[in-house]
Amino acid sequence: MNINWYAVLTGFAVALGLSIVIALLTPLTGNSVLLLAAPALVGGFVAGYMVAGPTDGAINGGLATVIGAIGVLVFVLVLQVLAAGLIATVVTATIGVVAILVQAVPGAAAGALGGWLKTRREPESMGTAAAR
């Protein structure tokens, strides 16, 4: 098990950026809720592709999704407890933890796919002896 923290941070940054774009461009309706899985899929894939192998890819992709989502959730909860009170914060925390658990699965699956695809790509050519 190899955790590449640079890959985890990069996957989180990609997921956060995509989340912001989706939140700004699409209204939250019953049909657009499925778009909320896209940041986990893309961020997990990026983190998984930065490492080699499906096992390490799944671990790094899942971590990128979960650690990033926990950081954002803690930030939102601190702001909400200051503005809305304790009861609303507990409800948000419960929904947030369920959402994190649901997003961890696609993040890990996309990370495994990214790690697998990286090991499946063709090796880079070493050149010929005449080119030297």
Side-chain angles (χ1 to χ4, degrees):
M1 178 171 84
N2 230 354
I3 297 175
N4 183 346
W5 291 107
Y6 183 72
V8 170
L9 182 63
T10 304
F12 164 67
V14 167
L16 182 64
L18 188 58
S19 297
I20 291 170
V21 169
I22 288 173
L24 292 176
L25 295 180
T26 60
L28 190 58
T29 63
N31 294 333
S32 69
V33 170
L34 294 176
L35 285 176
L36 298 177
L41 290 170
V42 175
F45 181 82
V46 168
Y49 194 78
M50 291 181 71
V51 297
T55 304
D56 288 339
I59 291 168
N60 285 286
L63 279 175
T65 304
V66 170
I67 289 175
I70 288 173
V72 171
L73 180 63
V74 167
F75 177 73
V76 167
L77 290 177
V78 168
L79 290 180
Q80 189 171 18
V81 86
L82 295 174
L86 192 59
I87 300 297
T89 304
V90 169
V91 171
T92 302
T94 304
I95 293 170
V97 168
V98 170
I100 288 171
L101 293 175
V102 168
Q103 285 186 341
V105 174
L113 177 66
W116 179 76
L117 284 176
K118 184 172 184 175
T119 59
R120 296 286 300 165
R121 69 180 186 172
E122 291 194 30
E124 298 178 18
S125 64
M126 299 299 288
T128 61
R132 293 182 198 180

mmCIF file with all atom_site columns, all heavy atoms in Angstrom, residues 55-83:
data_model
loop_
_atom_site.group_PDB
_atom_site.id
_atom_site.type_symbol
_atom_site.label_atom_id
_atom_site.label_alt_id
_atom_site.label_comp_id
_atom_site.label_asym_id
_atom_site.label_entity_id
_atom_site.label_seq_id
_atom_site.pdbx_PDB_ins_code
_atom_site.Cartn_x
_atom_site.Cartn_y
_atom_site.Cartn_z
_atom_site.occupancy
_atom_site.B_iso_or_equiv
_atom_site.pdbx_formal_charge
_atom_site.auth_seq_id
_atom_site.auth_comp_id
_atom_site.auth_asym_id
_atom_site.auth_atom_id
_atom_site.pdbx_PDB_model_num
ATOM 1   N N   . THR A 1 55 ? -4.714  -1.185 -7.140 1.00 0.00 ? 55 THR A N   1
ATOM 2   C CA  . THR A 1 55 ? -4.855  -1.143 -5.682 1.00 0.00 ? 55 THR A CA  1
ATOM 3   C C   . THR A 1 55 ? -4.428  0.209  -5.131 1.00 0.00 ? 55 THR A C   1
ATOM 4   O O   . THR A 1 55 ? -5.168  0.826  -4.360 1.00 0.00 ? 55 THR A O   1
ATOM 5   C CB  . THR A 1 55 ? -4.015  -2.264 -5.039 1.00 0.00 ? 55 THR A CB  1
ATOM 6   O OG1 . THR A 1 55 ? -4.421  -3.520 -5.590 1.00 0.00 ? 55 THR A OG1 1
ATOM 7   C CG2 . THR A 1 55 ? -4.204  -2.276 -3.537 1.00 0.00 ? 55 THR A CG2 1
ATOM 8   N N   . ASP A 1 56 ? -3.241  0.662  -5.515 1.00 0.00 ? 56 ASP A N   1
ATOM 9   C CA  . ASP A 1 56 ? -2.790  1.979  -5.070 1.00 0.00 ? 56 ASP A CA  1
ATOM 10  C C   . ASP A 1 56 ? -3.674  3.078  -5.637 1.00 0.00 ? 56 ASP A C   1
ATOM 11  O O   . ASP A 1 56 ? -3.910  4.096  -4.987 1.00 0.00 ? 56 ASP A O   1
ATOM 12  C CB  . ASP A 1 56 ? -1.333  2.217  -5.478 1.00 0.00 ? 56 ASP A CB  1
ATOM 13  C CG  . ASP A 1 56 ? -0.365  1.386  -4.660 1.00 0.00 ? 56 ASP A CG  1
ATOM 14  O OD1 . ASP A 1 56 ? -0.748  0.953  -3.559 1.00 0.00 ? 56 ASP A OD1 1
ATOM 15  O OD2 . ASP A 1 56 ? 0.776   1.180  -5.125 1.00 0.00 ? 56 ASP A OD2 1
ATOM 16  N N   . GLY A 1 57 ? -4.173  2.892  -6.849 1.00 0.00 ? 57 GLY A N   1
ATOM 17  C CA  . GLY A 1 57 ? -5.075  3.874  -7.443 1.00 0.00 ? 57 GLY A CA  1
ATOM 18  C C   . GLY A 1 57 ? -6.369  3.995  -6.664 1.00 0.00 ? 57 GLY A C   1
ATOM 19  O O   . GLY A 1 57 ? -6.876  5.094  -6.448 1.00 0.00 ? 57 GLY A O   1
ATOM 20  N N   . ALA A 1 58 ? -6.922  2.856  -6.234 1.00 0.00 ? 58 ALA A N   1
ATOM 21  C CA  . ALA A 1 58 ? -8.160  2.883  -5.456 1.00 0.00 ? 58 ALA A CA  1
ATOM 22  C C   . ALA A 1 58 ? -7.942  3.563  -4.107 1.00 0.00 ? 58 ALA A C   1
ATOM 23  O O   . ALA A 1 58 ? -8.775  4.357  -3.656 1.00 0.00 ? 58 ALA A O   1
ATOM 24  C CB  . ALA A 1 58 ? -8.684  1.464  -5.253 1.00 0.00 ? 58 ALA A CB  1
ATOM 25  N N   . ILE A 1 59 ? -6.825  3.274  -3.482 1.00 0.00 ? 59 ILE A N   1
ATOM 26  C CA  . ILE A 1 59 ? -6.541  3.887  -2.180 1.00 0.00 ? 59 ILE A CA  1
ATOM 27  C C   . ILE A 1 59 ? -6.366  5.390  -2.324 1.00 0.00 ? 59 ILE A C   1
ATOM 28  O O   . ILE A 1 59 ? -6.968  6.172  -1.580 1.00 0.00 ? 59 ILE A O   1
ATOM 29  C CB  . ILE A 1 59 ? -5.296  3.240  -1.543 1.00 0.00 ? 59 ILE A CB  1
ATOM 30  C CG1 . ILE A 1 59 ? -5.609  1.801  -1.150 1.00 0.00 ? 59 ILE A CG1 1
ATOM 31  C CG2 . ILE A 1 59 ? -4.823  4.036  -0.336 1.00 0.00 ? 59 ILE A CG2 1
ATOM 32  C CD1 . ILE A 1 59 ? -4.409  0.982  -0.777 1.00 0.00 ? 59 ILE A CD1 1
ATOM 33  N N   . ASN A 1 60 ? -5.566  5.817  -3.283 1.00 0.00 ? 60 ASN A N   1
ATOM 34  C CA  . ASN A 1 60 ? -5.328  7.248  -3.468 1.00 0.00 ? 60 ASN A CA  1
ATOM 35  C C   . ASN A 1 60 ? -6.582  7.970  -3.964 1.00 0.00 ? 60 ASN A C   1
ATOM 36  O O   . ASN A 1 60 ? -6.861  9.095  -3.547 1.00 0.00 ? 60 ASN A O   1
ATOM 37  C CB  . ASN A 1 60 ? -4.163  7.470  -4.434 1.00 0.00 ? 60 ASN A CB  1
ATOM 38  C CG  . ASN A 1 60 ? -2.844  7.192  -3.773 1.00 0.00 ? 60 ASN A CG  1
ATOM 39  O OD1 . ASN A 1 60 ? -2.368  7.957  -2.969 1.00 0.00 ? 60 ASN A OD1 1
ATOM 40  N ND2 . ASN A 1 60 ? -2.242  6.058  -4.112 1.00 0.00 ? 60 ASN A ND2 1
ATOM 41  N N   . GLY A 1 61 ? -7.360  7.348  -4.850 1.00 0.00 ? 61 GLY A N   1
ATOM 42  C CA  . GLY A 1 61 ? -8.595  7.953  -5.322 1.00 0.00 ? 61 GLY A CA  1
ATOM 43  C C   . GLY A 1 61 ? -9.631  8.096  -4.221 1.00 0.00 ? 61 GLY A C   1
ATOM 44  O O   . GLY A 1 61 ? -10.301 9.130  -4.101 1.00 0.00 ? 61 GLY A O   1
ATOM 45  N N   . GLY A 1 62 ? -9.765  7.066  -3.409 1.00 0.00 ? 62 GLY A N   1
ATOM 46  C CA  . GLY A 1 62 ? -10.690 7.140  -2.276 1.00 0.00 ? 62 GLY A CA  1
ATOM 47  C C   . GLY A 1 62 ? -10.261 8.185  -1.263 1.00 0.00 ? 62 GLY A C   1
ATOM 48  O O   . GLY A 1 62 ? -11.083 8.937  -0.733 1.00 0.00 ? 62 GLY A O   1
ATOM 49  N N   . LEU A 1 63 ? -8.950  8.241  -0.986 1.00 0.00 ? 63 LEU A N   1
ATOM 50  C CA  . LEU A 1 63 ? -8.456  9.245  -0.040 1.00 0.00 ? 63 LEU A CA  1
ATOM 51  C C   . LEU A 1 63 ? -8.648  10.664 -0.568 1.00 0.00 ? 63 LEU A C   1
ATOM 52  O O   . LEU A 1 63 ? -8.994  11.570 0.194  1.00 0.00 ? 63 LEU A O   1
ATOM 53  C CB  . LEU A 1 63 ? -6.976  9.007  0.266  1.00 0.00 ? 63 LEU A CB  1
ATOM 54  C CG  . LEU A 1 63 ? -6.674  7.926  1.287  1.00 0.00 ? 63 LEU A CG  1
ATOM 55  C CD1 . LEU A 1 63 ? -5.168  7.719  1.410  1.00 0.00 ? 63 LEU A CD1 1
ATOM 56  C CD2 . LEU A 1 63 ? -7.263  8.267  2.635  1.00 0.00 ? 63 LEU A CD2 1
ATOM 57  N N   . ALA A 1 64 ? -8.427  10.859 -1.862 1.00 0.00 ? 64 ALA A N   1
ATOM 58  C CA  . ALA A 1 64 ? -8.616  12.198 -2.438 1.00 0.00 ? 64 ALA A CA  1
ATOM 59  C C   . ALA A 1 64 ? -10.059 12.645 -2.278 1.00 0.00 ? 64 ALA A C   1
ATOM 60  O O   . ALA A 1 64 ? -10.329 13.807 -1.947 1.00 0.00 ? 64 ALA A O   1
ATOM 61  C CB  . ALA A 1 64 ? -8.224  12.201 -3.915 1.00 0.00 ? 64 ALA A CB  1
ATOM 62  N N   . THR A 1 65 ? -10.978 11.735 -2.475 1.00 0.00 ? 65 THR A N   1
ATOM 63  C CA  . THR A 1 65 ? -12.393 12.066 -2.340 1.00 0.00 ? 65 THR A CA  1
ATOM 64  C C   . THR A 1 65 ? -12.774 12.287 -0.886 1.00 0.00 ? 65 THR A C   1
ATOM 65  O O   . THR A 1 65 ? -13.401 13.281 -0.549 1.00 0.00 ? 65 THR A O   1
ATOM 66  C CB  . THR A 1 65 ? -13.248 10.937 -2.944 1.00 0.00 ? 65 THR A CB  1
ATOM 67  O OG1 . THR A 1 65 ? -12.842 10.729 -4.295 1.00 0.00 ? 65 THR A OG1 1
ATOM 68  C CG2 . THR A 1 65 ? -14.705 11.285 -2.910 1.00 0.00 ? 65 THR A CG2 1
ATOM 69  N N   . VAL A 1 66 ? -12.375 11.395 -0.007 1.00 0.00 ? 66 VAL A N   1
ATOM 70  C CA  . VAL A 1 66 ? -12.808 11.451 1.389  1.00 0.00 ? 66 VAL A CA  1
ATOM 71  C C   . VAL A 1 66 ? -12.125 12.579 2.153  1.00 0.00 ? 66 VAL A C   1
ATOM 72  O O   . VAL A 1 66 ? -12.786 13.353 2.856  1.00 0.00 ? 66 VAL A O   1
ATOM 73  C CB  . VAL A 1 66 ? -12.572 10.087 2.073  1.00 0.00 ? 66 VAL A CB  1
ATOM 74  C CG1 . VAL A 1 66 ? -12.777 10.176 3.554  1.00 0.00 ? 66 VAL A CG1 1
ATOM 75  C CG2 . VAL A 1 66 ? -13.490 9.048  1.475  1.00 0.00 ? 66 VAL A CG2 1
ATOM 76  N N   . ILE A 1 67 ? -10.818 12.695 2.035  1.00 0.00 ? 67 ILE A N   1
ATOM 77  C CA  . ILE A 1 67 ? -10.107 13.735 2.789  1.00 0.00 ? 67 ILE A CA  1
ATOM 78  C C   . ILE A 1 67 ? -10.537 15.122 2.337  1.00 0.00 ? 67 ILE A C   1
ATOM 79  O O   . ILE A 1 67 ? -10.761 16.015 3.154  1.00 0.00 ? 67 ILE A O   1
ATOM 80  C CB  . ILE A 1 67 ? -8.587  13.537 2.672  1.00 0.00 ? 67 ILE A CB  1
ATOM 81  C CG1 . ILE A 1 67 ? -8.169  12.306 3.472  1.00 0.00 ? 67 ILE A CG1 1
ATOM 82  C CG2 . ILE A 1 67 ? -7.837  14.763 3.173  1.00 0.00 ? 67 ILE A CG2 1
ATOM 83  C CD1 . ILE A 1 67 ? -6.729  11.942 3.352  1.00 0.00 ? 67 ILE A CD1 1
ATOM 84  N N   . GLY A 1 68 ? -10.680 15.299 1.041  1.00 0.00 ? 68 GLY A N   1
ATOM 85  C CA  . GLY A 1 68 ? -11.147 16.586 0.543  1.00 0.00 ? 68 GLY A CA  1
ATOM 86  C C   . GLY A 1 68 ? -12.552 16.910 1.011  1.00 0.00 ? 68 GLY A C   1
ATOM 87  O O   . GLY A 1 68 ? -12.849 18.029 1.431  1.00 0.00 ? 68 GLY A O   1
ATOM 88  N N   . ALA A 1 69 ? -13.436 15.923 0.949  1.00 0.00 ? 69 ALA A N   1
ATOM 89  C CA  . ALA A 1 69 ? -14.813 16.148 1.373  1.00 0.00 ? 69 ALA A CA  1
ATOM 90  C C   . ALA A 1 69 ? -14.906 16.413 2.873  1.00 0.00 ? 69 ALA A C   1
ATOM 91  O O   . ALA A 1 69 ? -15.708 17.242 3.312  1.00 0.00 ? 69 ALA A O   1
ATOM 92  C CB  . ALA A 1 69 ? -15.676 14.948 0.995  1.00 0.00 ? 69 ALA A CB  1
ATOM 93  N N   . ILE A 1 70 ? -14.081 15.752 3.665  1.00 0.00 ? 70 ILE A N   1
ATOM 94  C CA  . ILE A 1 70 ? -14.084 16.008 5.108  1.00 0.00 ? 70 ILE A CA  1
ATOM 95  C C   . ILE A 1 70 ? -13.608 17.428 5.394  1.00 0.00 ? 70 ILE A C   1
ATOM 96  O O   . ILE A 1 70 ? -14.174 18.125 6.237  1.00 0.00 ? 70 ILE A O   1
ATOM 97  C CB  . ILE A 1 70 ? -13.224 14.964 5.850  1.00 0.00 ? 70 ILE A CB  1
ATOM 98  C CG1 . ILE A 1 70 ? -13.935 13.619 5.850  1.00 0.00 ? 70 ILE A CG1 1
ATOM 99  C CG2 . ILE A 1 70 ? -12.924 15.406 7.278  1.00 0.00 ? 70 ILE A CG2 1
ATOM 100 C CD1 . ILE A 1 70 ? -13.105 12.480 6.400  1.00 0.00 ? 70 ILE A CD1 1
ATOM 101 N N   . GLY A 1 71 ? -12.582 17.870 4.694  1.00 0.00 ? 71 GLY A N   1
ATOM 102 C CA  . GLY A 1 71 ? -12.109 19.248 4.877  1.00 0.00 ? 71 GLY A CA  1
ATOM 103 C C   . GLY A 1 71 ? -13.169 20.275 4.545  1.00 0.00 ? 71 GLY A C   1
ATOM 104 O O   . GLY A 1 71 ? -13.389 21.243 5.294  1.00 0.00 ? 71 GLY A O   1
ATOM 105 N N   . VAL A 1 72 ? -13.862 20.078 3.438  1.00 0.00 ? 72 VAL A N   1
ATOM 106 C CA  . VAL A 1 72 ? -14.929 21.004 3.053  1.00 0.00 ? 72 VAL A CA  1
ATOM 107 C C   . VAL A 1 72 ? -16.087 20.928 4.046  1.00 0.00 ? 72 VAL A C   1
ATOM 108 O O   . VAL A 1 72 ? -16.657 21.954 4.436  1.00 0.00 ? 72 VAL A O   1
ATOM 109 C CB  . VAL A 1 72 ? -15.402 20.706 1.612  1.00 0.00 ? 72 VAL A CB  1
ATOM 110 C CG1 . VAL A 1 72 ? -16.650 21.496 1.264  1.00 0.00 ? 72 VAL A CG1 1
ATOM 111 C CG2 . VAL A 1 72 ? -14.288 21.012 0.628  1.00 0.00 ? 72 VAL A CG2 1
ATOM 112 N N   . LEU A 1 73 ? -16.437 19.726 4.495  1.00 0.00 ? 73 LEU A N   1
ATOM 113 C CA  . LEU A 1 73 ? -17.525 19.571 5.452  1.00 0.00 ? 73 LEU A CA  1
ATOM 114 C C   . LEU A 1 73 ? -17.217 20.265 6.776  1.00 0.00 ? 73 LEU A C   1
ATOM 115 O O   . LEU A 1 73 ? -18.080 20.929 7.350  1.00 0.00 ? 73 LEU A O   1
ATOM 116 C CB  . LEU A 1 73 ? -17.839 18.093 5.683  1.00 0.00 ? 73 LEU A CB  1
ATOM 117 C CG  . LEU A 1 73 ? -18.964 17.784 6.665  1.00 0.00 ? 73 LEU A CG  1
ATOM 118 C CD1 . LEU A 1 73 ? -20.285 18.352 6.147  1.00 0.00 ? 73 LEU A CD1 1
ATOM 119 C CD2 . LEU A 1 73 ? -19.072 16.293 6.904  1.00 0.00 ? 73 LEU A CD2 1
ATOM 120 N N   . VAL A 1 74 ? -15.996 20.129 7.269  1.00 0.00 ? 74 VAL A N   1
ATOM 121 C CA  . VAL A 1 74 ? -15.623 20.798 8.520  1.00 0.00 ? 74 VAL A CA  1
ATOM 122 C C   . VAL A 1 74 ? -15.732 22.315 8.371  1.00 0.00 ? 74 VAL A C   1
ATOM 123 O O   . VAL A 1 74 ? -16.263 23.006 9.252  1.00 0.00 ? 74 VAL A O   1
ATOM 124 C CB  . VAL A 1 74 ? -14.201 20.374 8.962  1.00 0.00 ? 74 VAL A CB  1
ATOM 125 C CG1 . VAL A 1 74 ? -13.670 21.273 10.056 1.00 0.00 ? 74 VAL A CG1 1
ATOM 126 C CG2 . VAL A 1 74 ? -14.208 18.926 9.416  1.00 0.00 ? 74 VAL A CG2 1
ATOM 127 N N   . PHE A 1 75 ? -15.277 22.840 7.247  1.00 0.00 ? 75 PHE A N   1
ATOM 128 C CA  . PHE A 1 75 ? -15.377 24.278 6.990  1.00 0.00 ? 75 PHE A CA  1
ATOM 129 C C   . PHE A 1 75 ? -16.834 24.733 6.975  1.00 0.00 ? 75 PHE A C   1
ATOM 130 O O   . PHE A 1 75 ? -17.196 25.736 7.598  1.00 0.00 ? 75 PHE A O   1
ATOM 131 C CB  . PHE A 1 75 ? -14.688 24.615 5.663  1.00 0.00 ? 75 PHE A CB  1
ATOM 132 C CG  . PHE A 1 75 ? -14.783 26.052 5.272  1.00 0.00 ? 75 PHE A CG  1
ATOM 133 C CD1 . PHE A 1 75 ? -14.042 27.014 5.941  1.00 0.00 ? 75 PHE A CD1 1
ATOM 134 C CD2 . PHE A 1 75 ? -15.625 26.445 4.246  1.00 0.00 ? 75 PHE A CD2 1
ATOM 135 C CE1 . PHE A 1 75 ? -14.139 28.349 5.590  1.00 0.00 ? 75 PHE A CE1 1
ATOM 136 C CE2 . PHE A 1 75 ? -15.721 27.767 3.880  1.00 0.00 ? 75 PHE A CE2 1
ATOM 137 C CZ  . PHE A 1 75 ? -14.980 28.735 4.552  1.00 0.00 ? 75 PHE A CZ  1
ATOM 138 N N   . VAL A 1 76 ? -17.692 23.984 6.278  1.00 0.00 ? 76 VAL A N   1
ATOM 139 C CA  . VAL A 1 76 ? -19.113 24.337 6.210  1.00 0.00 ? 76 VAL A CA  1
ATOM 140 C C   . VAL A 1 76 ? -19.765 24.232 7.588  1.00 0.00 ? 76 VAL A C   1
ATOM 141 O O   . VAL A 1 76 ? -20.573 25.086 7.965  1.00 0.00 ? 76 VAL A O   1
ATOM 142 C CB  . VAL A 1 76 ? -19.833 23.434 5.179  1.00 0.00 ? 76 VAL A CB  1
ATOM 143 C CG1 . VAL A 1 76 ? -21.335 23.534 5.288  1.00 0.00 ? 76 VAL A CG1 1
ATOM 144 C CG2 . VAL A 1 76 ? -19.379 23.777 3.783  1.00 0.00 ? 76 VAL A CG2 1
ATOM 145 N N   . LEU A 1 77 ? -19.408 23.223 8.358  1.00 0.00 ? 77 LEU A N   1
ATOM 146 C CA  . LEU A 1 77 ? -20.007 23.055 9.683  1.00 0.00 ? 77 LEU A CA  1
ATOM 147 C C   . LEU A 1 77 ? -19.611 24.178 10.633 1.00 0.00 ? 77 LEU A C   1
ATOM 148 O O   . LEU A 1 77 ? -20.437 24.641 11.428 1.00 0.00 ? 77 LEU A O   1
ATOM 149 C CB  . LEU A 1 77 ? -19.631 21.697 10.267 1.00 0.00 ? 77 LEU A CB  1
ATOM 150 C CG  . LEU A 1 77 ? -20.263 20.485 9.591  1.00 0.00 ? 77 LEU A CG  1
ATOM 151 C CD1 . LEU A 1 77 ? -19.752 19.199 10.235 1.00 0.00 ? 77 LEU A CD1 1
ATOM 152 C CD2 . LEU A 1 77 ? -21.766 20.551 9.640  1.00 0.00 ? 77 LEU A CD2 1
ATOM 153 N N   . VAL A 1 78 ? -18.374 24.615 10.562 1.00 0.00 ? 78 VAL A N   1
ATOM 154 C CA  . VAL A 1 78 ? -17.945 25.731 11.417 1.00 0.00 ? 78 VAL A CA  1
ATOM 155 C C   . VAL A 1 78 ? -18.716 27.000 11.057 1.00 0.00 ? 78 VAL A C   1
ATOM 156 O O   . VAL A 1 78 ? -19.206 27.718 11.931 1.00 0.00 ? 78 VAL A O   1
ATOM 157 C CB  . VAL A 1 78 ? -16.414 25.955 11.305 1.00 0.00 ? 78 VAL A CB  1
ATOM 158 C CG1 . VAL A 1 78 ? -16.003 27.269 11.939 1.00 0.00 ? 78 VAL A CG1 1
ATOM 159 C CG2 . VAL A 1 78 ? -15.670 24.799 11.952 1.00 0.00 ? 78 VAL A CG2 1
ATOM 160 N N   . LEU A 1 79 ? -18.846 27.265 9.777  1.00 0.00 ? 79 LEU A N   1
ATOM 161 C CA  . LEU A 1 79 ? -19.622 28.434 9.363  1.00 0.00 ? 79 LEU A CA  1
ATOM 162 C C   . LEU A 1 79 ? -21.089 28.304 9.756  1.00 0.00 ? 79 LEU A C   1
ATOM 163 O O   . LEU A 1 79 ? -21.714 29.278 10.191 1.00 0.00 ? 79 LEU A O   1
ATOM 164 C CB  . LEU A 1 79 ? -19.507 28.639 7.850  1.00 0.00 ? 79 LEU A CB  1
ATOM 165 C CG  . LEU A 1 79 ? -18.159 29.110 7.330  1.00 0.00 ? 79 LEU A CG  1
ATOM 166 C CD1 . LEU A 1 79 ? -18.202 29.262 5.823  1.00 0.00 ? 79 LEU A CD1 1
ATOM 167 C CD2 . LEU A 1 79 ? -17.751 30.414 7.982  1.00 0.00 ? 79 LEU A CD2 1
ATOM 168 N N   . GLN A 1 80 ? -21.644 27.109 9.633  1.00 0.00 ? 80 GLN A N   1
ATOM 169 C CA  . GLN A 1 80 ? -23.053 26.929 9.945  1.00 0.00 ? 80 GLN A CA  1
ATOM 170 C C   . GLN A 1 80 ? -23.333 27.012 11.430 1.00 0.00 ? 80 GLN A C   1
ATOM 171 O O   . GLN A 1 80 ? -24.362 27.548 11.841 1.00 0.00 ? 80 GLN A O   1
ATOM 172 C CB  . GLN A 1 80 ? -23.560 25.603 9.397  1.00 0.00 ? 80 GLN A CB  1
ATOM 173 C CG  . GLN A 1 80 ? -25.062 25.478 9.517  1.00 0.00 ? 80 GLN A CG  1
ATOM 174 C CD  . GLN A 1 80 ? -25.611 24.281 8.809  1.00 0.00 ? 80 GLN A CD  1
ATOM 175 O OE1 . GLN A 1 80 ? -24.873 23.355 8.500  1.00 0.00 ? 80 GLN A OE1 1
ATOM 176 N NE2 . GLN A 1 80 ? -26.889 24.288 8.535  1.00 0.00 ? 80 GLN A NE2 1
ATOM 177 N N   . VAL A 1 81 ? -22.448 26.514 12.266 1.00 0.00 ? 81 VAL A N   1
ATOM 178 C CA  . VAL A 1 81 ? -22.685 26.601 13.706 1.00 0.00 ? 81 VAL A CA  1
ATOM 179 C C   . VAL A 1 81 ? -22.633 28.056 14.174 1.00 0.00 ? 81 VAL A C   1
ATOM 180 O O   . VAL A 1 81 ? -23.341 28.448 15.103 1.00 0.00 ? 81 VAL A O   1
ATOM 181 C CB  . VAL A 1 81 ? -21.713 25.703 14.494 1.00 0.00 ? 81 VAL A CB  1
ATOM 182 C CG1 . VAL A 1 81 ? -20.405 26.388 14.795 1.00 0.00 ? 81 VAL A CG1 1
ATOM 183 C CG2 . VAL A 1 81 ? -22.336 25.231 15.785 1.00 0.00 ? 81 VAL A CG2 1
ATOM 184 N N   . LEU A 1 82 ? -21.835 28.860 13.497 1.00 0.00 ? 82 LEU A N   1
ATOM 185 C CA  . LEU A 1 82 ? -21.774 30.278 13.835 1.00 0.00 ? 82 LEU A CA  1
ATOM 186 C C   . LEU A 1 82 ? -23.003 31.037 13.337 1.00 0.00 ? 82 LEU A C   1
ATOM 187 O O   . LEU A 1 82 ? -23.441 31.999 13.976 1.00 0.00 ? 82 LEU A O   1
ATOM 188 C CB  . LEU A 1 82 ? -20.504 30.905 13.250 1.00 0.00 ? 82 LEU A CB  1
ATOM 189 C CG  . LEU A 1 82 ? -19.188 30.400 13.821 1.00 0.00 ? 82 LEU A CG  1
ATOM 190 C CD1 . LEU A 1 82 ? -18.023 30.991 13.052 1.00 0.00 ? 82 LEU A CD1 1
ATOM 191 C CD2 . LEU A 1 82 ? -19.085 30.715 15.301 1.00 0.00 ? 82 LEU A CD2 1
ATOM 192 N N   . ALA A 1 83 ? -23.565 30.613 12.218 1.00 0.00 ? 83 ALA A N   1
ATOM 193 C CA  . ALA A 1 83 ? -24.652 31.365 11.609 1.00 0.00 ? 83 ALA A CA  1
ATOM 194 C C   . ALA A 1 83 ? -26.038 30.793 11.908 1.00 0.00 ? 83 ALA A C   1
ATOM 195 O O   . ALA A 1 83 ? -26.973 31.553 12.137 1.00 0.00 ? 83 ALA A O   1
ATOM 196 C CB  . ALA A 1 83 ? -24.452 31.426 10.097 1.00 0.00 ? 83 ALA A CB  1
#
